[in-house]
Amino acid sequence: QVQLVDSGGGLVQAGGSLRLSCAASGRTFSSYAMGWFRQAPGKEREFIAAISWSGSSTRYADSVKGRFTISRDNAKNALYLQMNTLQPEDPAVYYCAAAKGAIPTSTVRVDYWGQGTQVTVSS
């Protein structure tokens, strides 16, 4: 089992940047594929980015490709999401996610969730 704590959200102007972090407990973090999802009010939770257990493979939603970068540091049990050029459609609660199996590109593949961190973009 792994416990996830998200942080790094906040208020940023359109065009600005934020870096989200996810701290994982337990000694098995490196065995999990990880991902980031977001949920805006009234919308379903959607996939944003994912990374394999080794960090060698990544996936991105088309809406964030080229702007967001997912990374991980297995030595620190940490997952990151660097978000650049934030746009008015990016505000949401962002959740980190852990999957025992395949890279989590959908919610059904997720085994554990963080509590979420709010991202707000001002125009």
Side-chain angles (χ1 to χ4, degrees):
Q1 187 173 354
V2 63
Q3 292 183 322
L4 306 172
V5 179
D6 306 324
S7 63
L11 173 64
V12 63
Q13 286 189 330
S17 299
L18 277 177
R19 188 193 195 205
L20 304 184
S21 298
C22 175
S25 65
R27 290 178 285 184
T28 59
F29 173 74
S30 61
S31 66
Y32 288 88
M34 300 294 295
W36 288 97
F37 291 72
R38 69 186 181 189
Q39 188 167 18
K43 296 187 177 181
E44 293 187 352
R45 194 168 297 188
E46 64 172 350
F47 164 73
I48 295 300
I51 190 167
S52 62
W53 67 269
S54 66
S56 62
S57 181
T58 57
R59 302 283 191 275
Y60 294 94
D62 289 343
S63 59
V64 305
K65 202 171 292 183
R67 299 190 297 123
F68 291 10
T69 302
I70 188 171
S71 62
R72 67 189 296 164
D73 186 336
N74 287 342
K76 295 182 178 180
N77 280 12
L79 176 74
Y80 306 103
L81 184 69
Q82 178 66 43
M83 304 188 295
N84 297 328
T85 319
L86 282 159
Q87 299 175 358
E89 58 267 29
D90 292 322
V93 178
Y94 282 70
Y95 298 89
C96 77
K100 297 177 183 177
I103 291 177
T105 55
S106 68
T107 57
V108 296
R109 293 184 175 181
V110 175
D111 294 293
Y112 302 102
W113 293 99
Q115 85 286 359
T117 184
Q118 177 72 52
V119 171
T120 304
V121 179
S122 64
S123 57

